[in-house]
Amino acid sequence: MTTEEFYSEYYGSPAVRAVITKQFDDAAFAVGSGPFLKKQKWHFPVKICPVSALDEFMAEGLDIYRPAVSTGDAFYIFWDLEYYNRKQRSYVYRHQKEVFEWMEPFIQEINERLSAYGIKYILDTTASGYHYWMKISKKSAVFQELAREGFISESLKDKYAHAVARDVKRSKAVPEEDGRAYDCAGKLLEYLTQRIRAEMPAVKDGIDMTISDSPPGGSSRTDGFSSDITQYAHPLFMRVFRVLASLHQKNILYYGGVLPAVDIVRRKGMRISEVLDSMWDAGKAAGLLRNFSPELDYSDEGFSRLFADYKNSETRKLHREFESAQAEEFRIADEPEQIASHFAPENANPSLLEPSVLQKIIEHYAALGPAKLKGALKIIAGYYNDPSYDWYDKERFTGIDWIKYDAAQAAHFWGRVYSTQFKLNGKANNG
């Protein structure tokens, strides 16, 4: 089967088209990405179009995404978990069955915890991991609780308040409470990650659950099961989710693959072997979507229970201590060489974007106190906002455009996550 035949059989299925189209009922636009655009000489193979372009996206065999922002009452909470390997990035594609067996105990544990809270979810299986889809109502009491708890920087508050007519992602202002609730959703997923890491028995081969591809300092492993919550470091209006039943073509774009994979909704009772077998077969993948609806129930009560646990946790206590600290001013040139070297002009980009480097810097300053750490994060944010470091290539649309993203919010996120992990690491606690 050729790639084009795979596209035709899979996206030609009425069941597939119905599932994908339904997910855009409360979406303002659609995003497509894939090898077709690369063949058309697109520097950055991603395009944003009105929802009416979905037929075009499927005809071109694109991976399909929807915005995190809902035009209705739904507030989506999305959890991305996947295997990472810093030395062999294609490892999961060459040893997929083995890797998914490593991940399986974590997935079963997460399923049980979410169900115990009463949180309803759809579990979408990608070629390298999983996506959990959950939602609460913007009209609910728990949404207001998350909004009161969440943090947004002053610069991001200003970005949320202003619409940008020529930017489809920012064509409307984002209510401040939505931005705050989004930040708090990331905190809840961080809390769950820390609970599972602390309480779950060691699993085969010692694979660890990490945050954002970075195990706690001192670990010798270069691979693991990543709770990738980095989307919550950035503005809500910049985030998109790969939709249920989309194609998944990273293997073709980056690792020499020939045929695409398909995101498979893993339903109760499905063995992982069945999921992986269907993922690479257009006919089997389409067949699994007959009589499937992507409708997702609200989990207001479930998230209220989770939020109550978070409020009484050590994680939340550390978050509060971090967020209430005032930044201490200092010069990075006066700091130890092993820290200052990452800020050198020749190293800053990409050094100050690399999770393992950020973790090293943050752990160094977290040991000196939250005020010192906040001072370091202020310096990092200043670097992000300095265009001389070429963070964004306007011609090729690559890198990070800090005019749209927010440097202060991103630095704050990294500081909170890694300082909390640093202080919890090795301690017996309630998360």
Side-chain angles (χ1 to χ4, degrees):
M1 176 179 282
T2 66
T3 306
E4 288 69 26
E5 288 170 339
F6 192 108
Y7 296 157
S8 179
E9 180 174 357
Y10 182 68
Y11 275 152
S13 163
V16 173
R17 300 178 79 87
V19 167
I20 289 176
T21 302
K22 182 64 178 173
Q23 294 172 76
F24 287 86
D25 284 353
D26 61 351
F29 59 89
V31 178
S33 174
F36 174 84
L37 300 180
K38 196 171 184 179
K39 290 178 182 177
Q40 303 302 309
K41 307 300 183 184
W42 287 49
H43 291 305
F44 186 56
V46 174
K47 65 178 177 179
I48 302 176
C49 295
V51 172
S52 59
L54 285 174
D55 285 342
E56 175 187 320
F57 283 7
M58 286 187 269
E60 295 172 349
L62 300 182
D63 298 11
I64 300 174
Y65 305 77
R66 61 149 293 152
V69 174
S70 166
T71 59
D73 292 334
F75 182 81
Y76 291 100
I77 298 175
F78 186 81
W79 196 1
D80 184 359
L81 299 117
E82 62 183 2
Y83 174 79
Y84 76 96
N85 190 312
R86 289 201 297 269
K87 285 191 174 180
Q88 302 179 60
R89 296 186 183 277
S90 64
Y91 187 91
V92 65
Y93 296 103
R94 293 182 286 108
H95 305 279
Q96 195 180 45
K97 184 176 183 294
E98 175 187 45
V99 167
F100 272 81
E101 287 176 350
W102 289 345
M103 292 190 287
E104 186 67 5
F106 294 106
I107 293 301
Q108 294 303 323
E109 182 73 15
I110 293 169
N111 291 349
E112 290 176 9
R113 286 176 183 263
L114 293 177
S115 296
Y117 280 115
I119 294 174
K120 302 173 181 67
Y121 60 86
I122 295 177
L123 179 58
D124 196 32
T125 315
T126 76
S128 58
Y130 294 90
H131 296 155
Y132 282 86
W133 286 73
M134 301 163 283
K135 73 178 182 181
I136 60 176
S137 170
K138 294 178 186 176
K139 296 180 178 179
S140 66
V142 70
F143 175 80
Q144 294 301 324
E145 288 186 292
L146 266 59
R148 286 191 292 270
E149 185 75 16
F151 169 87
I152 53 176
S153 67
E154 290 300 316
S155 50
L156 181 54
K157 188 185 300 185
D158 184 62
K159 289 174 183 175
Y160 279 145
H162 292 90
V164 180
R166 296 181 182 178
D167 186 342
V168 66
K169 288 186 176 181
R170 302 179 64 188
S171 61
K172 292 184 178 180
V174 174
E176 183 178 322
E177 63 180 7
D178 288 23
R180 291 186 180 277
Y182 185 68
D183 173 77
C184 188
K187 290 177 176 177
L188 296 184
L189 299 182
E190 179 188 349
Y191 164 68
L192 280 175
T193 302
Q194 300 292 8
R195 285 289 302 272
I196 292 169
R197 290 188 64 253
E199 298 174 12
M200 190 172 174
V203 295
K204 186 178 179 181
D205 295 319
I207 191 172
D208 192 16
M209 188 176 187
T210 71
I211 293 180
S212 308
D213 299 1
S214 291
S219 174
S220 60
R221 288 204 66 131
T222 57
D223 69 335
F225 180 62
S226 176
S227 174
D228 187 358
I229 58 173
T230 55
Q231 70 179 72
Y232 297 97
H234 301 303
L236 176 58
F237 55 70
M238 292 302 295
R239 307 315 301 171
V240 296
F241 307 150
R242 186 191 305 270
V243 300
L244 306 171
S246 168
L247 291 179
H248 189 284
Q249 299 180 88
K250 288 183 180 179
N251 64 312
I252 296 177
L253 283 170
Y254 307 116
Y255 306 121
V258 176
L259 292 179
V262 173
D263 276 16
I264 302 292
V265 175
R266 187 177 180 183
R267 280 172 273 182
K268 191 173 182 178
M270 284 183 71
R271 299 185 305 276
I272 190 58
S273 58
E274 180 184 359
V275 173
L276 298 181
D277 182 48
S278 302
M279 182 177 291
W280 303 97
D281 187 305
K284 288 182 179 179
L288 292 175
L289 293 174
R290 296 192 189 100
N291 303 316
F292 171 75
S293 171
E295 291 283 356
L296 180 62
D297 293 333
Y298 289 117
S299 292
D300 299 341
E301 293 183 5
F303 271 98
S304 183
R305 296 187 190 100
L306 173 57
F307 183 70
D309 278 0
Y310 166 73
K311 284 199 300 183
N312 293 317
S313 70
E314 182 70 13
T315 295
R316 196 247 193 169
K317 178 183 176 183
L318 293 171
H319 287 171
R320 286 291 198 177
E321 289 176 356
F322 168 74
E323 291 183 348
S324 63
Q326 298 299 310
E328 177 183 328
E329 302 289 340
F330 61 90
R331 293 194 325 139
I332 206 68
D334 297 332
E335 297 301 292
E337 173 61 22
Q338 68 268 26
I339 297 299
S341 63
H342 296 297
F343 292 81
E346 65 273 17
N347 297 334
N349 183 6
S351 184
L352 296 181
L353 294 176
E354 171 58 46
S356 61
V357 173
L358 287 168
Q359 182 179 347
K360 172 185 171 183
I361 293 171
I362 289 162
E363 289 185 356
H364 172 81
Y365 288 109
L368 301 177
K372 192 81 170 182
L373 173 58
K374 293 290 279 289
L377 297 173
K378 185 176 180 180
I379 293 172
I380 290 173
Y383 271 69
Y384 289 162
N385 279 325
D386 185 342
S388 70
Y389 290 99
D390 297 324
W391 303 108
Y392 183 61
D393 186 329
K394 294 181 179 179
E395 300 298 324
R396 303 181 68 87
F397 303 104
T398 56
I400 295 183
D401 183 356
W402 290 110
I403 294 175
K404 294 182 178 181
Y405 286 85
D406 191 79
Q409 187 78 14
H412 178 96
F413 170 87
W414 290 114
R416 187 197 82 214
V417 167
Y418 285 141
S419 66
T420 301
Q421 178 172 262
F422 172 69
K423 292 186 177 182
L424 290 177
N425 186 29
K427 296 179 181 179
N429 56 68
N430 70 341

